[in-house]
């Protein structure tokens, strides 16, 4: 079993999205699977220029792009994997620009033929794409913050002629690094759940419904979270008044 995760956070290995992916990797490795995490913030990646030269091919299973960067190489690795995880922070209610740029380039896996599926016309894809998982973190409380990403990723799965087998969403993500000791057990309990998710994904190539529900629950009631966040905002304002340029902490 070989899993590949794409991390669309500009913070790469320092972020909340990575914390989730890292725990899933730990679970997957426990049961003998391999999992690679690709940080889009660390690869050379350009934006699609819309030339469609990637469809100018005789063999529909050929992958080629006029842009000579790292993206083609990542796709080649993905096509050898048994499961893909797309991980992203919520940025302005959607996937990050990094993730979107990466996913736009997936057009090179398709070809010019059209197909009809579930009442929709789609561009054909000659590859057997493995099941995919959508994973995201955000700051605000409530899973409605993942609505756009969830709908988008369902369509991405349809485009790729595959199945979305899991959705792992973590709102209130700043609690994972909240600078209060008593909160650390919450972060630990959540990490244990992601480890379980890694085990399930590696063994079953899908996420069971009970685990999905546990994974995606609020960590603390929204009212408590908002109060803590307001205190943090006050602290930041005070620091700003003191001319300390250490930014908005705790996200
Ligand atoms: C530019 C920007 C936009 C954001 N937009 C949202 C948003 O719309 N909703 C939300 O709940 N959090 C939003 N956040 C917070 C991030 O989603 C959250 O901190 C996330 O866990 C960061 O993940 P990372 O550490 O992996 O980058 C935003 C953060 C940034 C920097």
């Amino acid at each position: 079993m070989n899993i590949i995760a794409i991390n669309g956070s500009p913070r790469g290995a320092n972020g909340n999205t990575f914390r989730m992916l890292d725990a899933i990797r730990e679970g997957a490795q426990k049961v003998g699977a391999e999992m690679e995490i690709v940080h889009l913030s660390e690869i050379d990646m350009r934006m699609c220029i819309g030339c469609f030269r990637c469809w100018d091919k005789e063999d529909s299973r050929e992958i080629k792009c006029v842009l000579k960067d790292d993206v083609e190489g990542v796709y080649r690795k993905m096509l050898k994997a048994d499961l893909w995880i797309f991980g992203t922070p919520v940025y302005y209610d959607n996937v990050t620009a990094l993730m979107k740029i990466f996913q736009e380039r997936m057009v090179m896996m398709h070809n010019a033929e059209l197909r009809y599926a579930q009442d929709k016309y789609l561009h054909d894809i000659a590859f057997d794409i493995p099941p995919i998982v959508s994973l995201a973190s955000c700051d605000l409380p409530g899973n409605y913050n993942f609505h756009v990403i969830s709908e988008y990723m369902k369509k991405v799965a349809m485009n790729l002629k595959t199945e979305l087998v899991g959705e792992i969403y973590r709102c209130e993500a700043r609690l994972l690094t909240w600078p209060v000791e008593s909160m650390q057990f919450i972060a630990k309990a959540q990490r244990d759940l992601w480890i379980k998710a890694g085990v399930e994904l590696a063994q079953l190539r899908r996420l069971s419904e009970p685990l999905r529900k546990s994974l995606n629950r609020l960590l603390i009631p929204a009212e408590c979270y908002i109060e803590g966040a307001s205190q943090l905002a006050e602290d930041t304002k005070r620091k700003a008044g003191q001319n300390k340029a250490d930014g908005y902490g705790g996200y």
Side-chain angles (χ1 to χ4, degrees):
M1 177 71 174
N2 179 1
I3 303 174
I4 189 158
I6 307 299
N7 180 10
S9 167
R11 289 167 162 173
N14 297 317
N16 296 326
T17 311
F18 174 71
R19 281 186 189 91
M20 301 169 73
L21 292 172
D22 186 48
I24 289 173
R25 178 169 58 186
E26 188 178 321
Q29 285 174 344
K30 255 188 177 179
V31 289
E34 282 177 30
M35 176 164 156
E36 181 180 358
I37 301 174
V38 177
H39 299 292
L40 296 183
S41 57
E42 290 175 7
I43 68 166
D44 177 24
M45 176 171 73
R46 291 174 53 195
M47 271 192 258
C48 177
I49 54 169
C51 69
F52 285 106
R53 294 278 299 282
C54 55
W55 288 0
D56 187 4
K57 55 191 175 189
E58 275 174 25
D59 178 358
S60 58
R61 293 172 66 90
E62 193 186 343
I63 288 197
K64 59 167 196 174
C65 180
V66 293
L67 302 176
K68 295 299 164 217
D69 57 14
D70 295 336
V71 174
E72 220 180 288
V74 177
Y75 291 163
R76 287 185 199 287
K77 275 192 201 171
M78 288 167 78
L79 288 169
K80 287 188 195 142
D82 305 301
L83 184 82
W84 296 357
I85 304 178
F86 289 103
T88 179
V90 175
Y91 266 26
Y92 224 74
D93 282 304
N94 211 325
V95 299
T96 58
L98 270 181
M99 180 58 85
K100 190 67 173 44
I101 290 169
F102 182 78
Q103 290 174 327
E104 284 171 15
R105 297 279 299 279
M106 294 198 303
V107 88
M108 77 173 89
M109 291 195 221
H110 291 262
N111 53 65
E113 307 297 317
L114 292 178
R115 67 187 168 93
Y116 181 72
Q118 297 173 42
D119 283 336
K120 294 187 178 61
Y121 294 95
L122 304 162
H123 275 287
D124 190 33
I125 184 155
F127 296 101
D128 291 325
I129 305 296
I132 66 175
V133 172
S134 169
L135 176 148
S137 70
C138 80
D139 185 55
L140 297 172
N143 283 338
Y144 65 88
N145 292 294
F146 302 108
H147 174 76
V148 174
I149 290 180
S150 175
E151 290 305 309
Y152 168 61
M153 288 304 298
K154 282 175 191 142
K155 186 63 170 46
V156 167
M158 195 185 287
N159 293 346
L160 293 171
K161 228 201 290 185
T162 187
E163 207 188 334
L164 183 67
V165 291
E167 294 187 81
I168 303 177
Y169 298 135
R170 181 69 277 142
C171 62
E172 301 181 327
R174 78 168 82 172
L175 287 178
L176 303 175
T177 52
W178 198 252
V180 176
E181 210 175 314
S182 56
M183 283 297 162
Q184 283 167 13
F185 84 99
I186 292 186
K188 162 83 174 62
Q190 184 64 40
R191 184 175 164 84
D192 289 346
L193 283 173
W194 289 322
I195 293 173
K196 268 193 194 166
V199 170
E200 273 198 9
L201 289 173
Q203 288 183 329
L204 312 170
R205 284 219 303 180
R206 61 173 51 252
L207 208 58
S208 67
E209 191 50 21
L211 183 57
R212 189 195 67 76
K213 279 195 182 143
S214 312
L215 281 167
N216 297 348
R217 278 197 197 112
L218 279 183
L219 294 177
I220 61 171
E223 295 77 9
C224 305
Y225 187 76
I226 296 301
E227 196 178 317
S230 310
Q231 279 173 22
L232 195 59
E234 282 305 315
D235 284 356
T236 309
K237 270 191 224 156
R238 214 181 40 246
K239 280 187 199 162
Q242 293 164 5
N243 239 352
K244 284 190 183 164
D246 53 358
Y248 188 69
Y251 251 51

